[in-house]
Amino acid sequence: VSWMRARDLHLLTVGRFTYTSDERFKAVHQAGSQDWLLKIYYVQHRDAGPYECQVSTTPPMTHTVWLTVVEPQTVVLGGPELYINAGSAINLTCLVRHSPKPPPYIFWYHDDVLLSYDSGRGEVTVTTEDGKDTASRLLIHHAGAQNSGRYTCSPATAPAHSITLHVINSEKPAAIHHKNTTTNSSEGGSAGHLPAGPLHLLLVGLLPLLLTTGGQDLLNGLGRTLAWWR
């Protein structure tokens, strides 16, 4: 029995002998067994594709096996930043995707400290559901400021993934009021009016001139100017 990589017709094994320089490939057969195994250690994406098993009968018999190499992915929903009101429940969901089989365990960490949900106090609960995607759900009752920080989902057979949780108070900050200086007459006068301060200084400065000859004409002109200003 021999194994061949079909994409490049590269002969890998014949019987119990290996015919490739790639040491990751190995033929496995036990005496008296009808199983002839091809083992690939540290499988990589480039190893994906068809492999052909050939039996040296007359005529030869062949069987093709297609190898698909997947890379598991981990994602914590709602990230990378998640905000929650103080006093409410924290409910985080971690999904493990593209895994050939469900991971044997999934650990949760809070700021690199392993969460303990076997204390029996009911403060922390973790449930796991297997399916096309394995889902692990972390529930913490009555969130407080001490629950803020980075939460990491770490499956046994997939890379870890983290999000940052912020526990905030639900009270809204007081509204900020801005003064309207264009319509408040107590803060500089209303539009189209000369401020009282400059008008007072103007009249004081013109008083000596008004007492001289021709001051009456100047006063009349000033009155017309003020009337136009209004």
Side-chain angles (χ1 to χ4, degrees):
V1 177
S2 60
W3 281 96
M4 177 180 296
R5 188 166 54 203
R7 75 165 185 263
D8 54 4
L9 301 180
H10 184 74
L11 184 64
L12 299 173
T13 65
V14 177
R16 299 177 61 181
F17 298 96
T18 302
Y19 286 86
T20 176
S21 59
D22 193 337
E23 297 181 354
R24 299 180 302 117
F25 292 87
K26 182 180 180 181
V28 178
H29 174 70
Q30 293 183 356
S33 172
Q34 295 183 351
D35 297 331
W36 297 81
L37 307 181
L38 173 65
K39 275 196 172 184
I40 308 175
Y41 297 91
Y42 308 108
V43 67
Q44 303 172 11
H45 283 288
R46 59 187 177 90
D47 297 322
Y51 291 80
E52 191 174 276
C53 172
Q54 299 180 349
V55 182
S56 57
T57 57
T58 305
M61 294 187 299
T62 62
H63 180 72
T64 302
V65 178
W66 191 281
L67 174 63
T68 300
V69 180
V70 296
E71 184 175 356
Q73 297 178 353
T74 306
V75 58
V76 180
L77 303 181
E81 304 281 339
L82 184 62
Y83 296 82
I84 190 170
N85 290 329
S88 57
I90 300 174
N91 194 345
L92 302 179
T93 300
C94 173
L95 296 181
V96 181
R97 298 169 173 166
H98 311 306
S99 180
K101 59 182 180 180
Y105 59 85
I106 299 177
F107 288 151
W108 284 90
Y109 293 86
H110 178 213
D111 290 336
D112 298 327
V113 177
L114 178 65
L115 285 175
S116 175
Y117 30 87
D118 295 329
S119 60
R121 293 181 296 175
E123 298 177 356
V124 181
T125 304
V126 173
T127 58
T128 304
E129 299 177 4
D130 296 333
K132 181 180 179 181
D133 296 333
T134 300
S136 177
R137 293 180 173 86
L138 171 68
L139 177 62
I140 301 177
H141 303 277
H142 307 295
Q146 72 279 3
N147 299 121
S148 295
R150 187 177 72 255
Y151 284 81
T152 302
C153 174
S154 181
T157 56
H161 185 254
S162 302
I163 68 167
T164 301
L165 177 70
H166 304 274
V167 179
I168 59 176
N169 294 325
S170 59
E171 297 179 359
K172 296 182 179 179
I176 299 176
H177 300 281
H178 298 277
K179 295 181 180 180
N180 187 348
T181 58
T182 60
T183 58
N184 191 343
S185 59
S186 64
E187 298 186 13
S190 42
H193 290 72
L194 185 67
L199 178 61
H200 174 74
L201 295 177
L202 178 62
L203 293 177
V204 172
L206 293 177
L207 183 60
L209 182 61
L210 294 177
L211 298 178
T212 62
T213 305
Q216 185 65 35
D217 294 338
L218 180 61
L219 184 61
N220 292 336
L222 179 61
R224 288 193 298 271
T225 301
L226 294 175
W228 173 82
W229 232 324
R230 294 179 180 275

